[in-house]
Amino acid sequence: MSEDPMSEWGDGTRCVRAGLPEPTPGDPFLPGPVFAAPYHLDPFQGQGASPNGYGRPDNPTRRLLEAAVGELEGGDCRVFATGQAAITGLLLTLLRPGDTVVLPTDGYFPVRAFATNVLEAIGVRVLLVPTVGPYPSFEGVRLVLVETPANPGLDVVDVAALAERAHAAGALLAVDNTTATPLGQRPLDLGADLVVASGTKALTGHSDLLLGYLASRSADLVEAVTTWRTTTGAVPGAFDAWLAHRSLATLDLRLARQSANAAAVAELLAGRPDVTGLRWPGRPGDPAYPVAAAQMRRVPGVLSFDLGDADRVGRFVEAARLVAAATSFGGLHTTADRRAQWGDDTAAGFVRLSCGAEDTADLVADIAAALDAAGPV
C-alpha cells in the first residue's frame, strides 16, 4: 500500500474524508449505492474492459468503503457481510489440517465455538490462551489471533511484543480491533500481519447494519482473503456498504462522547460498594491501564462490572431510562448486556455496559438512580 495520504490530518478530518472520490462538479460528496448483480460487458473484451463484471466480486460502493476503512487502518481492506464472516474467513483461508492456531479464551465466544466445531473437526490444532497470557511457545504455530481490548473482559495485550514473538517463530499475528476501532489503535503499525473486526459495532455505530472487515499490508494475504470471499460470497450488500461509509464520517465524534461517558461512569461505579469487578482500561488502577496507555490512542466507551446476580441486573436495567437491554456495543444508545445469557464464561451478574452518546451528566445520574432502585443482591 502507498503512503497514507491523510497521515498529516487529525482523526475527525480523516473520518470525514476517508474513501471519498475526487470531487467532480455536480456529483455528490459520497455517491449513492450501486445496486447491480450483472453489469454491461464489452462484447469483445468481456470482463477485462471494466472493473465491474458481476456483483459478488465487484461493486463500486463496496470498494469506496474498503478504501475508507483501509485508510483508517493503514492497510488494504476487504469488507464482509458480518464480523463473524470476516473472522471465520480469515481462519479458513489461512489454516489447513495439521496447522496450529492460538485463540483467546476471553475473546468473542462464537470464535471459540467455531474453533471447536469446525477447525478441530478438520484437523486444526487449537490452543486457547488468555489475552494477557501466559503464552506458550509459538514454534510450529501458523496463526496467533488476539482480541484487544478483549470482549467482554477488556484485558489488553502488548501487540508489538506479541508480534515480535510470533514472527520470531514464523507465525502470523492477527488482531481483532473491534472494540478499539482504528482510531483507538492501528495494529498494523504495531507489527500485526492482519486486522479483523466487526464493523457492526462502534465503527459504524448506529445499530442498523451488520458488517465485518479484514485489512493487511501483505498483498499475498489480501489476495488470499479476497479469493475466499469471492468463492464463498460473504459480501455485504450495496446499501449496507453505503450506509456504513456514511456512518463512518462521525466515528471521531461518537467515540469522543462515548469515551468521556465511560470515564465518568467508571468513576461513579468505582465509588459504589454495591458494584464489584469494575473494568475500564482508561482508568488508572485498572490492570490493563499501563499497556492501554502506552499502546492505544483512545480508550473505547465499553466497560464491565458485576452486580451480583442476574435478577439484580434485570432490576437495574428495568429502572434505568437511558440504558437499554441489548447485545452488541458501540452504538449511539447506552446498552447493558448480561453476557452469561449468551454463553460467555462470566458470572451471572456480569454486565458489559456500552456507553452511548447521551449527555454525560444525564447518563451518570440515570445509572446512579437505577442502581439505587435495583437494591441489594
Side-chain angles (χ1 to χ4, degrees):
M1 179 179 170
S2 60
E3 185 71 18
D4 183 355
M6 302 195 297
S7 58
E8 74 275 14
W9 290 338
D11 285 348
T13 305
R14 294 170 63 237
C15 289
V16 168
R17 303 293 304 184
L20 296 184
E22 288 298 318
T24 300
D27 285 355
F29 290 4
L30 176 63
V34 175
F35 299 109
Y39 303 85
H40 286 293
L41 299 178
D42 184 281
F44 298 98
Q45 298 183 56
Q47 184 177 351
S50 167
N52 297 317
Y54 183 63
R56 175 160 36 88
D58 309 320
N59 183 277
T61 306
R62 193 163 64 228
R63 288 197 296 270
L64 287 178
L65 174 61
E66 290 172 341
V69 177
E71 287 168 5
L72 297 179
E73 284 285 8
D76 197 3
C77 172
R78 295 294 180 269
V79 293
F80 284 73
T82 67
Q84 187 72 354
I87 202 165
T88 56
L90 164 69
L91 295 171
L92 290 174
T93 296
L94 295 182
L95 300 172
R96 297 291 180 269
D99 286 343
T100 298
V101 61
V102 176
L103 300 176
T105 58
D106 50 347
Y108 188 47
F109 82 93
V111 177
R112 296 193 299 278
F114 178 80
T116 301
N117 297 332
V118 177
L119 294 183
E120 290 185 337
I122 63 173
V124 174
R125 179 173 177 244
V126 177
L127 299 179
L128 297 175
V129 181
T131 294
V132 294
Y135 284 85
S137 168
F138 292 151
E139 293 299 325
V141 170
R142 168 64 172 156
L143 175 68
V144 179
L145 172 65
V146 294
E147 181 181 10
T148 182
N151 166 36
L154 301 177
D155 273 328
V156 175
V157 67
D158 185 331
V159 173
L162 201 61
E164 184 176 357
R165 280 195 57 192
H167 294 158
L172 296 171
L173 175 65
V175 175
D176 186 329
N177 207 27
T178 300
T179 307
T181 83
L183 297 193
Q185 67 189 7
R186 299 218 310 180
L188 299 179
D189 289 347
L190 299 171
D193 299 286
L194 300 113
V195 171
V196 62
S198 169
T200 305
K201 300 177 175 67
L203 187 81
T204 59
H206 287 75
S207 308
D208 55 9
L209 61 87
L210 299 175
L211 190 80
Y213 70 86
L214 287 164
S216 180
R217 293 172 181 169
S218 164
D220 290 342
L221 291 175
V222 171
E223 181 180 3
V225 165
T226 304
T227 299
W228 171 267
R229 187 187 67 176
T230 298
T231 303
T232 61
V235 296
F239 185 73
D240 280 356
W242 178 86
L243 195 61
H245 198 165
R246 187 211 58 170
S247 302
L248 192 63
T250 60
L251 176 59
D252 174 61
L253 298 172
R254 290 184 280 106
L255 288 184
R257 173 60 65 86
Q258 290 166 344
S259 184
N261 281 349
V265 170
E267 286 305 305
L268 165 72
L269 299 180
R272 293 192 63 108
D274 56 349
V275 175
T276 62
L278 173 65
R279 295 296 308 272
W280 187 60
R283 186 172 182 270
D286 187 277
Y289 179 79
V291 177
Q295 176 172 284
M296 300 184 69
R297 301 172 63 245
R298 64 175 81 188
V299 179
V302 181
L303 44 81
S304 64
F305 52 92
D306 199 309
L307 293 184
D309 62 30
D311 190 61
R312 185 163 184 250
V313 175
R315 298 197 304 270
F316 161 68
V317 178
E318 185 177 47
R321 294 188 295 168
L322 299 179
V323 181
T327 193
S328 197
F329 57 88
L332 296 172
H333 311 90
T334 295
T335 60
D337 192 5
R338 194 177 68 81
R339 290 307 301 167
Q341 67 185 310
W342 300 104
D344 274 334
D345 185 19
T346 57
F350 176 93
V351 176
R352 182 183 66 196
L353 188 80
S354 174
C355 293
E358 299 89 355
D359 284 295
T360 303
D362 293 340
L363 183 60
V364 170
D366 186 63
I367 290 174
L371 287 170
D372 291 341
V377 176

